[in-house]
Amino acid sequence: MSCYDRRLRRTGPEQLNSRNDLVSPPQHSRVNGWSLPLHTFQVVALLFYTYLAIVGFGIYIPLLPHGWKYAAYAVIGVLFAHHLVAYIVAITIDPADQNVLAKKNYCSPMPVFDRSKHKHVIQNQHCYLCEVDVGPKAKHCSACNKCIADFDHHCKWLNNCVGGRNYWFFFNAVASAVLGVFLLILVILYVFIQYFVNPAELRTAPQFERVNGNNTWLAFLPLAPADITAAGIVAIAVITMLLGTASLLLLGHLLLFHLYLLGKKLSTFDYITEQRRMKNTRDLESDVEVIENPSVRKNHLQDLSFASQQKECEVSVSSRSGALRHQETGQLSIKHPSIICTEASDVASFTSLSPGPESVPKCTKETLCENIHQNKEASDTEMADFGADLQSNCNQSLEESHWGSVGSMKQIPSFAKSL
């Protein structure tokens, strides 16, 4: 089981007596997407729409051949106009719950939510901040600071919540943006290719008859012709296609996602909640699998047997090194191998508790017993050798000390016999 799992790193809520008990939302609720401050994404969306409209209808669509020009004006113009209307309506609508709209006074400040009294803002379809009963799918948005009917999500591009009252305007804005940007990219790509293949095909407008040289092009035809260089035509085309492709990928992904939600009859909030629940379930199942999986326990048992064998080797080596130290210091410190037998019995008893024979390593008990007997025989032999070495060392030291004190060799045999 991994202790670094993401689920295990989550922090719990604060205690009820902490200083974060009183959660203060923004002082006033927001009316719609035009309420200040405007979000940066909202401003970027409006500026990008303006840029595409100017570049598309002012530079590249007028360069199309006569037949395709008016078709592009009609189709792309309708899509851009439809997107603008749907986008503005989705921003302007107040998506709050009906009971909130009936009671809400956006000029008055919101009350303070006390978590020591209520665990959630909405309980039993009653909002303790808006102080009204709400619908079963209503959620209190922290950014707008009000309950949204049939809450889907809070859209930063609209700077407004998307709920039951403005969802279809939001969906139409996304769908029309995808189609409009796609067709505009096709038009710009056609002009870009024709510029290198057959530039005369792009200079069919009557205003080009008064232009001297093929290096000068006209923009904002036919109402306000303005000179522009060929390099400017190519550079703007490349930049617009790159920006349009990036926005098309993002908008296309968003459109497919909401088509999927419509097919499943889910909201964005329901989808996110379901994904979090499924992830928590998978994390819990993985933790239980790690605990109950026999193969995992088998690995633990193998590691235990390897560790016990390694410990036996360390004890054997330490006994030899202890004997060598005794030859230098004359002190004896030998560890009895009963500890090894105890560890082996513990391993044997532990393996007997395993759920099946497949989880116990083969020949673990026999291998341990052989190692124990071998270590015992080796330790007995080492003890005997060490005793003989100790006796000879004692005789030699006593002989030298006796020669230094008495100076007679005759007393050494009798002393040795007394020993």
Side-chain angles (χ1 to χ4, degrees):
M1 182 173 59
S2 176
C3 61
Y4 299 101
D5 187 68
R6 184 177 180 182
R7 181 179 63 83
L8 302 178
R9 298 198 305 267
R10 294 174 182 167
T11 57
E14 297 286 343
Q15 299 296 328
L16 293 180
N17 57 357
S18 70
R19 59 183 179 182
N20 294 327
D21 293 343
L22 301 179
V23 179
S24 299
Q27 186 175 5
H28 298 279
S29 299
R30 302 178 69 255
V31 180
N32 51 30
W34 302 113
S35 299
L36 297 177
L38 299 179
H39 199 277
T40 306
F41 288 178
Q42 181 185 15
V43 177
V44 170
L46 292 173
L47 292 177
F48 186 64
Y49 174 85
T50 305
Y51 170 80
L52 290 181
I54 293 174
V55 170
F57 293 97
I59 299 177
Y60 295 102
I61 292 179
L63 297 179
L64 293 176
H66 185 73
W68 294 101
K69 182 188 304 183
Y70 298 104
Y73 273 129
V75 176
I76 300 179
V78 169
L79 289 174
F80 269 62
H82 180 77
H83 170 77
L84 182 61
V85 172
Y87 183 79
I88 292 176
V89 173
I91 292 177
T92 308
I93 287 180
D94 186 355
D97 187 85
Q98 192 65 36
N99 293 333
V100 176
L101 292 174
K103 181 185 177 181
K104 191 68 176 176
N105 182 10
Y106 291 103
C107 296
S108 61
M110 290 291 293
V112 177
F113 180 68
D114 191 353
R115 291 193 181 276
S116 63
K117 297 180 179 179
H118 308 287
K119 185 177 180 180
H120 301 287
V121 177
I122 298 178
Q123 288 182 341
N124 298 325
Q125 298 185 14
H126 179 81
C127 179
Y128 291 97
L129 280 177
C130 298
E131 298 178 343
V132 295
D133 294 333
V134 295
K137 292 185 177 181
K139 302 296 178 183
H140 191 94
C141 176
S142 59
C144 296
N145 200 10
K146 60 185 177 182
C147 287
I148 309 300
D150 299 328
F151 179 79
D152 188 85
H153 69 285
H154 183 85
C155 181
K156 297 179 180 179
W157 300 96
L158 299 177
N159 197 28
N160 195 14
C161 274
V162 177
R165 294 169 56 85
N166 62 346
Y167 178 82
W168 287 110
F169 293 101
F170 161 79
F171 182 83
N172 277 272
V174 174
S176 59
V178 170
L179 294 176
V181 172
F182 175 73
L183 293 179
L184 185 60
I185 290 176
L186 290 181
V187 169
I188 297 175
L189 183 61
Y190 173 81
V191 173
F192 182 79
I193 294 174
Q194 285 295 106
Y195 173 81
F196 295 99
V197 176
N198 186 13
E201 194 73 20
L202 306 176
R203 303 170 67 91
T204 58
Q207 289 81 2
F208 280 101
E209 296 177 357
R210 298 187 297 269
V211 175
N212 296 326
N214 295 330
N215 197 32
T216 302
W217 293 76
L218 296 176
F220 306 110
L221 295 173
L223 300 179
D227 294 345
I228 185 174
T229 62
I233 290 286
V234 175
I236 295 175
V238 172
I239 294 174
T240 306
M241 283 191 294
L242 291 177
L243 294 176
T245 303
S247 63
L248 183 62
L249 292 176
L250 296 175
L251 291 170
H253 179 268
L254 182 61
L255 179 62
L256 292 177
F257 175 68
H258 279 276
L259 289 174
Y260 169 80
L261 294 180
L262 289 175
K264 295 292 185 178
K265 297 181 179 180
L266 294 174
S267 65
T268 305
F269 180 81
D270 295 335
Y271 175 80
I272 295 175
T273 304
E274 182 67 18
Q275 291 298 315
R276 288 178 180 175
R277 186 189 64 81
M278 292 174 61
K279 186 181 184 306
N280 292 335
T281 304
R282 287 195 300 267
D283 293 340
L284 182 61
E285 290 177 353
S286 64
D287 294 342
V288 173
E289 183 180 0
V290 169
I291 296 174
E292 297 181 354
N293 193 359
S295 62
V296 177
R297 291 200 308 273
K298 181 178 179 180
N299 294 331
H300 287 301
L301 292 175
Q302 290 177 351
D303 295 339
L304 182 60
S305 66
F306 293 154
S308 63
Q309 293 177 3
Q310 184 178 4
K311 197 167 187 179
E312 292 172 7
C313 296
E314 293 176 354
V315 171
S316 177
V317 172
S318 64
S319 63
R320 292 188 179 91
S321 63
L324 294 175
R325 286 196 303 270
H326 267 297
Q327 292 180 4
E328 298 177 357
T329 61
Q331 297 178 359
L332 178 61
S333 175
I334 298 177
K335 184 178 180 181
H336 197 274
S338 61
I339 298 177
I340 304 176
C341 299
T342 305
E343 293 175 354
S345 63
D346 293 339
V347 174
S349 63
F350 183 76
T351 54
S352 65
L353 297 176
S354 59
E358 68 278 4
S359 63
V360 181
K362 296 181 179 180
C363 301
T364 302
K365 186 174 182 180
E366 291 79 5
T367 304
L368 289 176
C369 291
E370 291 178 1
N371 293 331
I372 292 169
H373 291 303
Q374 292 176 1
N375 290 331
K376 186 176 181 180
E377 292 175 359
S379 62
D380 293 339
T381 304
E382 291 174 356
M383 286 289 294
D385 295 338
F386 178 73
D389 295 337
L390 183 61
Q391 182 68 30
S392 62
N393 291 334
C394 290
N395 292 335
Q396 184 178 357
S397 59
L398 289 173
E399 181 181 356
E400 293 176 354
S401 62
H402 186 73
W403 269 103
S405 60
V406 180
S408 176
M409 295 179 59
K410 295 180 180 181
Q411 297 180 3
I412 295 176
S414 61
F415 184 74
K417 289 179 182 180
S418 65
L419 289 175

